[in-house]
Amino acid sequence: MSIKTVCTLDYGIEPDTGEDCAAALQALFDGLAYESGTEFCVQFKKGNYHIHLPIRIRGAKNLTVRGNRATILAHFDPTAPIWANNNVFELSDCEDTSFHDFFFDTDHPVSAAGRVTSIDRENGTVDLKIYEEFPVTGFEHFCATNSFDEKGTPDYALATYNMDLVRLPFTAPDGRRTTRLVGLPYEVVGEHLVRLQLGALSPALKIGHEINLRYEVSGNTVFQFVSCRRVLLKNIIIYSAASFGATIHPRSEDFTFDNFCIRVPDTSERLMAANADGIHALGLAGKLVLRNCHMENMGDDTLNLHSIAACIRKLDSEKRTLAMFCPRPYGPHSLPEKWAIPGDAIYVYDSETFLRKGSFVIDTIDEENNAVFREETGAFAAGDILANAQYFASLHIDGCTIRSTRARGFLVQTHNVLIENCYFYGMSLSALLFAPDIRVWWEAGPCRTVEIRNNIIEYCAHIDSIASQGAIIFNACHDANSLEYPAGVHEKLFIHDNLFIDLPRSGIFVVSASDVRIEGNRFQNCCYHPQENAEYAKYDIVAANCENIVIRNNKSDRGEETLQYLLNCKE
C-alpha cells in the first residue's frame, strides 16, 4: 500500500493566526480519496489552531493524523446556549485510523473556580471569589457546582445541578437591562465576586471551600466515534473538554488509548479538566485498551464502558417476534441507532434477579426495534432485560493514573477484564465499579472474567453515599443498595495483590457474584469513617450473596478481626 503525506501548510492552514480554520481543515479531510487504497498521513505544524465547527471525517481508511505537538483550541462560549459550542473531531464509518501528538484546549474556560468568602445560611446564599483567570461578566451560566476538599477532590459539601437553562431578564453590571441564560441563580456583587442563590445549605460547606462552577455538563466531546473500527489515540493531552474527552457509539470496534491524558495545566487554577466523562463508550465491540494514561479532575466517571439495556415490550413466541424498548426514567425510550442488526446475539436477563436466562439471534429488525428472532435458548417473557452480546468488549487497562474525579474511576459493564499496575487517588465514589443498572440508567451488563491486580488505591470512596461502600465494588446497580440480588450476577472474579490506603470505607465490596477469589491484598488505614447503621461497614473486605468464594492471605493493619465480613456466602 502506498503512503501519501499531506501537510496542513499545503492547504494554507497556518498555525497561530487566531482565526477559525475549521472550514479549511474540513476541506482537507474531504479531499482525501480514502477508497483509492492509499494510506494517508496528515501532518500539522506545531502551533495553535482555532476551530469553531467540528471536523467531520467520514469513511476514512488507513488514516494517520499527526499533530507534532500542535494545540487545537475549540470554541467555547460560557454565555451561549450549549448547542452553540462544538465538538472537535467527529468520525463515522472509519477504519484503521489514528491520532498522535496533539494538545486540546478551549479558547475560553469551560468552568470557573473560586473560594467561598462568606455564607448566609438564613438566606441560603454563598459568596464566591472567582479566581482571576476566569471571566465574571454576569452573563455566564452555571449548570453545576461542586465543592473540593483540602486534598483537591470533590467532597459534595456543595453539589448542585441546574442543566435546564432558562432565558430571563437581567440587569448587567454596567446597568444595562438585557437578558441572560440562567441555570443556578446568582448575581455579581463585587470585583470577581458572585453570590450564589442556593437555598438550603449543607453544614459541611465552610468558608474557604474551593468551588467549581461548570458552564456545561453534557453536550460536547473532543473525539466522537460512530461505527469506527481499529482506532488508536496516542500521546494526546486534553486540558479542557466541555463535556467528554472521547465518546464511542455503536457499532464501533477495537480502540486503543496510549498515553491519552486529560488533566489541568500546571499553570491553571482550574478544578476540572473535563465536565463529564473522560471516555464514554456505549456500544463497543472487540477490545478496549488503555495504556499509560493519566486522567484527573473529571466531572463524571473517568471511563464508563457499557451498552444500553433494553426490555421486551411484547413477545410472540410462536411467531418468534418481539418489540424492544428502553424504559429509562429520563430521556427517550427509543434505543440507539444500530443498537442491533441481523445476526447479533442478544442476552436475556431476568428483571428481578439479573441472572441470565437465555439468548436469541436477531433475524430481522426494523427502525422501531421490532424484531424477528431465531436460535433462541432458555425461556423468556415480556419485561425481561436484554443486552447485545456484540457490545461486551474485552478491557485491558495497564499503568494508568487516575486522580480527583467527582464520580468513579472506572465504571465497567463488560466481560474479560484485566486492570493492572494502576494508581487511583481521590475518587469521590469508588475507584472501580462493576455494575449494570436498570433502576435509573438502563446500562448493561453484568461482568464476567475480571482480574484486578497490582494496583494502588488511595483516598477513594470518601463521601457519605450508598454508592461509596468500597473502593472496588461489584454490585447489581450503580447508586443504590442491591443486597436483594442473588449470587451469579457477576462471575469469575479475581482480585489480588492490590494495596488499599487511607480509605474511609471498605476496600473491597462484592455482592451477587460467583467464583470469586480475593487474595494477597493489603489494607492500610481503611474504614476510618464507615457508613452509619451498616453492620458490615467497618470491614476491609465485604462479600454478600456470593457462591464459590475464596478469601485468603489478605492483610490489614487493623488486624484479623476487621478484615472480612461475609453475608449469605458459600465457599
Side-chain angles (χ1 to χ4, degrees):
M1 180 181 293
S2 62
I3 300 176
K4 181 177 181 179
T5 298
V6 178
C7 297
T8 54
L9 289 175
D10 295 338
Y11 283 72
I13 305 170
E14 296 276 355
D16 303 319
T17 66
E19 298 179 356
D20 178 19
C21 62
L25 285 171
Q26 188 65 64
L28 185 159
F29 285 103
D30 286 347
L32 301 181
Y34 299 119
E35 300 300 330
S36 66
T38 300
E39 180 178 342
F40 288 98
C41 180
V42 177
Q43 297 272 6
F44 281 69
K45 181 182 178 181
K46 183 179 179 180
N48 295 323
Y49 297 82
H50 290 255
I51 67 165
H52 288 213
L53 292 171
I55 310 304
R56 296 184 171 93
I57 303 175
R58 298 183 176 91
K61 293 181 173 62
N62 302 300
L63 171 66
T64 299
V65 184
R66 295 194 176 276
N68 298 304
R69 300 180 65 81
T71 298
I72 305 295
L73 292 160
H75 178 58
F76 185 85
D77 185 347
T79 72
I82 290 172
W83 54 260
N85 299 311
N86 63 279
N87 299 341
V88 182
F89 286 107
E90 297 179 358
L91 286 82
S92 59
D93 299 302
C94 296
E95 297 179 358
D96 302 296
T97 300
S98 63
F99 287 79
H100 305 253
D101 304 309
F102 278 99
F103 296 92
F104 291 89
D105 209 333
T106 49
D107 57 3
H108 298 97
V110 299
S111 60
R115 196 174 293 274
V116 174
T117 60
S118 67
I119 299 174
D120 184 342
R121 298 190 184 277
E122 182 177 351
N123 292 304
T125 64
V126 170
D127 286 0
L128 192 66
K129 185 69 172 180
I130 303 295
Y131 299 141
E132 290 295 326
E133 75 174 89
F134 306 106
V136 181
T137 67
F139 288 92
E140 294 82 17
H141 44 69
F142 303 146
C143 292
T145 66
N146 294 97
S147 57
F148 282 66
D149 65 16
E150 68 280 358
K151 296 182 179 181
T153 187
D155 64 3
Y156 285 69
L158 177 63
T160 67
Y161 302 91
N162 309 85
M163 292 178 283
D164 295 326
L165 300 177
V166 179
R167 186 168 292 279
L168 297 174
F170 173 57
T171 300
D174 62 5
R176 289 181 297 119
R177 288 294 295 169
T178 181
T179 63
R180 68 172 178 178
L181 289 169
V182 177
L184 175 69
Y186 75 97
E187 57 182 321
V188 179
V189 294
E191 183 67 25
H192 263 70
L193 187 67
V194 298
R195 179 165 295 156
L196 307 180
Q197 299 167 12
L198 295 163
L201 297 172
S202 166
L205 183 65
K206 307 293 185 183
I207 291 175
H209 246 121
E210 282 196 295
I211 306 294
N212 187 77
L213 303 159
R214 286 182 272 177
Y215 301 135
E216 178 180 323
V217 175
S218 181
N220 298 111
T221 181
V222 176
F223 289 97
Q224 176 181 283
F225 300 95
V226 179
S227 296
C228 293
R229 289 158 290 283
R230 298 180 298 280
V231 173
L232 168 65
L233 300 180
K234 185 172 183 177
N235 299 333
I236 304 293
I237 296 180
I238 298 173
Y239 289 130
S240 179
S243 293
F244 305 95
T247 58
I248 305 171
H249 300 261
R251 304 182 58 90
S252 295
E253 183 175 352
D254 294 342
F255 274 65
T256 298
F257 294 80
D258 190 345
N259 193 29
F260 181 85
C261 303
I262 304 176
R263 63 180 182 86
V264 173
D266 294 336
T267 58
S268 174
E269 292 187 284
R270 302 173 191 174
L271 294 174
M272 284 187 179
N275 282 344
D277 296 349
I279 301 169
H280 192 114
L282 64 158
L284 180 64
K287 64 181 180 180
L288 173 61
V289 177
L290 275 66
R291 183 186 305 118
N292 301 322
C293 298
H294 182 119
M295 291 185 275
E296 63 181 34
N297 300 96
M298 303 294 110
D300 210 325
D301 306 311
T302 303
L303 167 68
N304 187 350
L305 174 60
H306 70 95
S307 65
I308 301 300
C311 181
I312 299 177
R313 187 202 305 269
K314 295 180 181 179
L315 173 67
D316 188 325
S317 298
E318 292 186 0
K319 294 182 179 179
R320 290 183 169 176
T321 62
L322 52 77
M324 302 176 290
F325 76 121
C326 180
R328 54 192 165 196
Y330 68 96
H333 288 181
S334 59
L335 290 164
E337 184 179 359
K338 297 182 180 179
W339 180 85
I341 62 175
D344 282 352
I346 306 297
Y347 295 143
V348 183
Y349 299 90
D350 185 277
S351 62
E352 298 296 325
T353 66
F354 232 130
L355 298 180
R356 193 192 299 182
K357 58 188 296 189
S359 66
F360 59 85
V361 174
I362 297 286
D363 193 29
T364 64
I365 185 170
D366 64 19
E367 293 181 355
E368 296 181 351
N369 293 298
N370 300 304
V372 177
F373 61 87
R374 55 183 167 84
E375 300 178 32
E376 64 273 24
T377 65
F380 40 92
D384 283 343
I385 308 304
L386 306 176
N388 192 330
Q390 178 79 4
Y391 301 136
F392 284 79
S394 68
L395 174 65
H396 184 195
I397 302 176
D398 187 4
C400 296
T401 297
I402 311 299
R403 299 180 63 95
S404 302
T405 285
R406 186 198 63 83
R408 280 78 46 142
F410 302 145
L411 171 52
V412 178
Q413 301 164 78
T414 193
H415 298 167
N416 301 310
V417 176
L418 174 59
I419 299 174
E420 59 181 340
N421 308 317
C422 295
Y423 176 61
F424 300 86
Y425 180 90
M427 304 300 110
S428 299
L429 303 177
S430 55
L432 300 171
L433 172 61
F434 300 82
D437 189 283
I438 56 169
R439 297 190 179 187
V440 176
W441 302 107
W442 278 81
E443 295 179 2
C447 297
R448 177 179 293 180
T449 313
V450 177
E451 183 175 2
I452 305 167
R453 68 187 185 196
N454 302 325
N455 302 287
I456 299 174
I457 302 177
E458 182 176 1
Y459 189 56
C460 293
H462 61 79
I463 69 164
D464 289 323
S465 169
I466 195 69
S468 58
Q469 294 168 305
I472 296 176
I473 296 177
F474 285 83
N475 212 341
C477 59
H478 291 181
D479 305 313
N481 204 327
S482 63
L483 292 177
E484 68 271 23
Y485 288 88
V489 175
H490 303 290
E491 302 177 74
K492 298 181 181 178
L493 316 180
F494 189 19
I495 307 169
H496 65 102
D497 299 297
N498 301 285
L499 175 60
F500 299 84
I501 306 172
D502 193 22
L503 301 178
R505 304 298 177 90
S506 300
I508 300 172
F509 187 93
V510 180
V511 175
S512 305
S514 61
D515 299 318
V516 181
R517 294 166 58 193
I518 303 174
E519 302 177 0
N521 300 285
R522 292 176 292 151
F523 302 88
Q524 299 176 5
N525 191 33
C526 297
C527 301
Y528 61 80
H529 183 61
Q531 177 186 339
E532 295 182 359
N533 303 318
E535 180 182 356
Y536 53 78
K538 65 180 181 180
Y539 293 87
D540 297 316
I541 300 170
V542 177
N545 301 349
C546 292
E547 292 181 347
N548 300 326
I549 182 169
V550 175
I551 303 177
R552 62 189 178 192
N553 300 328
N554 302 285
K555 295 182 179 180
S556 172
D557 62 357
R558 298 185 299 138
E560 293 291 325
E561 63 275 8
T562 55
L563 179 59
Q564 63 188 54
Y565 178 96
L566 304 183
L567 175 66
N568 192 28
C569 291
K570 299 178 182 179
E571 295 185 358

